[in-house]
Amino acid sequence: MRTLYWRSWRTFWYNTKKRQNQRGNYKMLHHKSMPYRRLAMLTLALVMLVALISACGKKDGGTVLATYKGGEVTDKEFDKYIAFQTIMGNQMAMYVSIPQFKEQIVKQYIISKELIKGVSEEDKKKAKTAADTFKKQLETARNTQADLKQHMEDSDLSVKEAVALFQEASEFQSYYAAKGEEFKPKVTEDEIKAEYAKDPSDFNEVTVRHILIKVNDPQTGPVRTDEEALKIAKEVKAKLDAGGDWKELAKQYSEDDGSKENGGLYEKQKAGGWVAGFKEAANTQEIGKIGEPVQSEFGYHVMKVESRVATPYEKLSDTDKDGIRIAIASVKVNEFLTAEQDKLEIKVTLPEEPSPSASGTPSASPSASPSASPSASPSASPSAAAK
């Protein structure tokens, strides 16, 4: 649990560096590579980064939620931070209703705003430039989207405060990336070999065709039910089994913009770059055969693996090794951040949770309590938050 809240930053830095080195189109299938909710018009590249960082600026009273060496955090300050998370569509806003997660989010909030005090003046200037652009986008969206405006008013979150949060997010992005680069040269060859050995299949070079029928869209949310998507996927498979043309059917059915115009083709790609369900099928499905529809976080894929070649460690490219080096360095950054957190001696005091029997009515609706499932629906949009 202690290291969970740094995972999004680790994933961001790792995937950013890996995409800089990779070739090929992962527009739909790459790990979390797309903005998450419909407020994409508000975002720069930093939008996905705000999930685990930043501060709230000026305090306006409230109950002390946490103390640490050098300061304290009130519930009002933290609530504005969460309101900002909701605007950006980040999943942490959902998890805050779970006490164990909320405590960890409070701690990361504190360590993040403390560490950005060490950011260089150059990085601060870059963050200010990004924040100025974000301000214009936010003001436009607030003036044109009633649900966003209402959410900000209900949360007592001003544009100025939101922009300050965004700027601090940008500063921490720079801090985290710099730390990653600092640890990279310290990664040894033995560590790289050990990391590779954990899952060599990530480095299989796979050529695959697929047609995606969406259940969820990273930008707009739910598209259709699982049942509806699976039914369409089975229809597509039946047409392919009957001799249907991949190019024609991909154009007609596929909702993967990265491959639909190319017959659903991803050619000679490393399997480790794909999301879990797709990767598993790419690594195990019988070559040359159209498999049963495969489920991923996006929906259902009708897939045909055309080739699959293993890559032994000795054959890894410098780019592959650098990707592993980045992943290992990101773990070291995570350990560093945890150590820095310990130095602050953070003490979080959460309100007492109501007893299950407090209502006196055992048959009370379970929907009255927040979901504790990490796999529940992603963070609410401003329109949902405003209801």
Side-chain angles (χ1 to χ4, degrees):
M1 179 72 76
R2 295 185 68 204
T3 60
L4 176 64
Y5 50 91
W6 295 116
R7 201 166 292 162
S8 289
W9 278 102
R10 183 177 69 195
T11 301
F12 162 76
W13 181 65
Y14 169 62
N15 284 338
T16 298
K17 296 298 292 183
K18 184 164 69 170
R19 283 196 294 274
Q20 290 172 353
N21 293 329
Q22 282 178 326
R23 297 293 183 267
N25 191 332
Y26 291 89
K27 193 168 184 180
M28 173 58 68
L29 299 175
H30 198 280
H31 294 294
K32 314 296 185 186
S33 61
M34 301 179 68
Y36 199 74
R37 298 288 291 175
R38 67 185 182 83
L39 287 180
M41 66 174 294
L42 301 181
T43 68
L44 304 172
L46 296 175
V47 168
M48 296 177 68
L49 316 180
V50 188
L52 296 178
I53 48 117
S54 68
C56 210
K58 184 177 73 175
K59 296 180 182 177
D60 56 355
T63 303
V64 174
L65 190 63
T67 60
Y68 60 97
K69 283 186 176 180
E72 62 185 27
V73 174
T74 66
D75 55 354
K76 287 187 178 181
E77 177 185 355
F78 186 70
D79 287 346
K80 289 188 178 186
Y81 166 69
I82 294 302
F84 179 65
Q85 301 288 11
T86 302
I87 289 175
M88 308 313 286
N90 290 304
Q91 296 185 30
M92 279 296 147
M94 175 185 70
Y95 296 147
V96 76
S97 62
I98 307 169
Q100 296 92 330
F101 280 96
K102 183 174 182 178
E103 180 176 351
Q104 300 304 327
I105 297 169
V106 171
K107 288 180 178 180
Q108 61 86 141
Y109 170 83
I110 291 169
I111 183 64
S112 299
K113 69 176 186 175
E114 285 296 300
L115 288 178
I116 62 173
K117 294 178 180 178
V119 171
S120 70
E121 289 301 317
E122 181 182 357
D123 285 335
K124 287 181 179 179
K125 288 180 181 179
K126 291 179 181 178
K128 179 63 166 58
T129 300
D132 288 344
T133 302
F134 171 75
K135 180 181 179 182
K136 294 176 183 178
Q137 295 173 324
L138 178 60
E139 288 175 336
T140 298
R142 191 177 186 277
N143 292 333
T144 57
Q145 298 182 26
D147 55 351
L148 173 60
K149 181 179 179 180
Q150 188 64 53
H151 172 69
M152 293 182 70
E153 290 177 352
D154 291 346
S155 305
D156 193 27
L157 179 68
S158 68
V159 170
K160 182 178 180 180
E161 288 169 321
V163 172
L165 285 163
F166 190 91
Q167 181 170 337
E168 291 168 356
S170 179
E171 290 176 8
F172 190 77
Q173 175 202 1
S174 297
Y175 179 90
Y176 193 97
K179 275 295 171 186
E181 293 300 321
E182 178 184 322
F183 280 107
K184 267 183 64 178
K186 301 176 183 179
V187 177
T188 68
E189 185 76 12
D190 286 342
E191 287 178 309
I192 295 174
K193 288 181 179 178
E195 187 67 21
Y196 165 86
K198 291 178 181 179
D199 193 355
S201 67
D202 272 356
F203 298 91
N204 286 347
E205 191 174 82
V206 186
T207 295
V208 61
R209 291 187 186 274
H210 87 120
I211 292 173
L212 169 65
I213 309 300
K214 285 183 180 178
V215 171
N216 294 300
D217 186 285
Q219 292 181 329
T220 60
V223 175
R224 57 177 64 88
T225 66
D226 278 2
E227 292 76 14
E228 291 169 339
L230 180 57
K231 181 180 179 182
I232 297 172
K234 287 182 176 180
E235 292 173 359
V236 171
K237 181 181 184 304
K239 290 183 178 182
L240 288 168
D241 287 340
D245 184 76
W246 270 96
K247 290 186 177 182
E248 291 181 4
L249 290 172
K251 286 183 179 181
Q252 180 181 354
Y253 286 99
S254 186
E255 293 167 311
D256 174 16
D257 293 336
S259 68
K260 65 178 298 179
E261 298 300 325
N262 192 31
L265 181 67
Y266 283 106
E267 189 171 15
K268 295 182 178 180
Q269 304 287 350
K270 293 295 170 61
W274 289 320
V275 293
F278 194 93
K279 181 182 79 170
E280 177 68 17
N283 277 330
T284 60
Q285 191 168 296
E286 183 179 342
I287 295 174
K289 180 179 179 181
I290 300 170
E292 293 299 320
V294 172
Q295 188 174 20
S296 79
E297 63 196 65
F298 297 111
Y300 284 89
H301 308 261
V302 181
M303 296 175 58
K304 178 184 177 183
V305 178
E306 296 191 346
S307 67
R308 182 171 55 237
V309 179
T311 306
Y313 183 82
E314 295 74 20
K315 297 292 185 179
L316 289 182
S317 66
D318 290 341
T319 299
D320 290 332
K321 288 186 177 181
D322 195 53
I324 299 175
R325 185 177 289 108
I326 290 168
I328 297 171
S330 67
V331 174
K332 295 180 183 291
V333 175
N334 183 68
E335 293 169 349
F336 166 81
L337 294 174
T338 300
E340 290 298 302
Q341 174 190 293
D342 291 343
K343 293 177 184 178
L344 288 172
E345 299 180 3
I346 301 171
K347 296 181 180 179
V348 181
T349 305
L350 298 179
E352 288 289 333
E353 293 295 313
S355 169
S357 60
S359 66
T361 55
S363 60
S365 171
S367 63
S369 60
S371 170
S373 171
S375 61
S377 175
S379 55
S381 66
S383 59
K387 294 180 180 179

